[in-house]
Amino acid sequence: MDDLLSKILSFPPHPPPHVPLSDQQYDDGIKDQIEIVKKISGQKMLQQTSGGENMLEVINPALNTVPYAFCLVANLEAVAKNTGKGVNMDILWGKMVEFLDVFDTRQIRYIGEEFNHIVRGVADFARNSRQGYLAVAPIRNAILRLDPSGSMLTANHILLVKLAMDTRNYQDAAPVLKKFILYVPGYSALPKPKYLCDMTLSPAAFITPATKLNVKLKYPEILEYFLYSGMAHIGLRDWENALHCLESAVTYPTKDSSPSKIMVEAYKKWILVGLLMEGKLLPLPKSTSSGPSKNYHTLAKPYETLAQIFENGTASRLKSEADAGVQWWRNDSNTGLILQVLAAYQQFQIRQLANVYSKISIPEVVSLTTSAETGYKLATPQAGEALVQAMIQRGELHATLSGPPTGPPILTFSPSGTALTEPQMQRELAASTARIQALTKEIKQTDRMLTHDTQYIKFVVKQKKNKSNTEDGPMQEWNELAEDEDIMSMY
C-alpha cells in the first residue's frame, strides 16, 4: 500500500517547481496519474497503510484531489454494496464535506464522474439521515468552486434547489441561486478545449457532458430550476432575485406557441412578485415570445385582474377579489403570496405618502391609508405606528419615526433613502465592479459563440432579407428557426 501511495501521490509535483508546468505538461501528467489510479481496485483503496491508517487520513484532498476522490468513491460504493464493514459513515460524511470545500479546482476538471458521485453521496447521506438541509451548503460550495461565475447550469444546480425547497434551507442555497445562468448544457457551437487545465476557459467549455461534469438536461428540468429558484427567493423575501428567476422561466424559448405548465406557473408567481416589488402589473419582458405571451394573459387572467385592482382599485375591492379567488390561489399553491400582496397594499400607500408629505403624524397615516387584509382602516394609531416601525426596520421605508414631548409620533420621510457610510459605499462599489467585470467576460464569450453558431447565422441572414418585420418579428422568427433546426438539443 505504501508503494502504491508513492505512485498516486507523485502528481502534481510537491513542492511546485520553480517554473510552473505548461498546460500540456499538466494535462499529460494528470492523465497519466488518472490511468494509474483507475487500475487500483476498490478493495485496494480501502486497505490500511503500514501505519494502520485509512488512505483518506494520509491523502491531502486539496493537494491530491484525484486519488482522494477515487478513494471516496470506493468507500461510497462499498457502503452501497454492503461490503464496507469498516467504513464509519459519520467519518465518511465529514471527509466528503471537507472534499467539496477544498478540492483543487484544476484537477477536478478531469474527474467529472467521480466529482458528481461524491456530490450525490452527500445528498443521499443527508436525505437518508432525514437531515437533507445539511447537504445544501456543501453542494453550494462545490458548485461555486467548480465555477465561481455560476453561469453554467448543471444537474447539481437542480439537485441543490430541490434540496433547498424540500428542507426550506433557502439561505444556504442563495449564493448559487442568485447567479445569472448564461449557459445550458448541450450547446454545440463551442469548440472543444485543447487542455482542460487551461484556467482561462469559459465554464461552458469544460463543464460539459463530454467531461462528465455535466449532463444534458431535459427542457422541463431547466424550467423547474428557474421556477424553484424563484420560489426559494420568495421564501427569503428577496423579491428582486425572485422576479429575475421567474422571468427566466417565463421568457424561456419554446418549441411551439403555447407555454408549458411550468412557465404558466412561473408567470402567475411573477405577477404577484412584481406587485410586491413595484406595486403594479409589470409588462411582459420584450424577450417573451409572442405566442406564449397571448396564452399567459388568458391562463392567468385572475392574477392580472388582481394586479390591476392593486394598482388602481380600493383596499376593499382588492380584498373582495382575493376572497373570490381563494380556490384559484390554493390550487396554484399561491395563497401565501396572495396574503403577502394584501399586506403590501397599505405599505405601498404609506410609501406613496412621501410624494406629498415630508412629515406626517401617525394618526394621519392611519386615516389616509387602508388595509387590504381587512378592507378597513387600522383600528388604532398604535397599530399604525407598529406597522411603520416594522417597515423601517426591514428597510422597506426610508424614514424616521420620532415621538415629540406632546402630540402623536411623527413620521419623517428621507427623500435620498438610507445613507451609506464610506466603508459601506466602498464595499458596494467593489461588489458592483466585480459583478460587471464577470458578466462582461461571459457576455463576450456568448457573443463569440453566437458568431460561430450556424443556426444564428441563418437567422441573421433571414432577418436581413425581410425588412418588413414588425417589432415582434425578429423574436418570433428566431423562435420559428429554433423549432425548425431544433436548436435546443436538450429537448
Side-chain angles (χ1 to χ4, degrees), residues 401-413:
L401 195 60
S402 58
T406 59
I410 300 297
L411 181 65
T412 303
F413 295 104

Side-chain angles (χ1 to χ4, degrees), residues 157 191 239 281 307 340 355:
H157 283 71
W239 310 131
L281 177 61
Q340 295 262 20
N355 298 328

Side-chain angles (χ1 to χ4, degrees), residues 134-171:
L134 293 176
V136 175
I139 295 175
R140 171 205 66 202
N141 293 342
I143 291 172
L144 292 179
R145 283 185 63 76
L146 180 67
D147 172 21
S149 75
S151 58
M152 166 58 79
L153 183 62
T154 70
N156 290 331
H157 283 71
I158 297 170
L159 175 62
L160 176 72
V161 76
K162 287 184 176 180
L163 275 170
M165 292 299 297
D166 290 343
T167 64
R168 297 189 178 183
N169 185 5
Y170 312 129
Q171 192 66 53

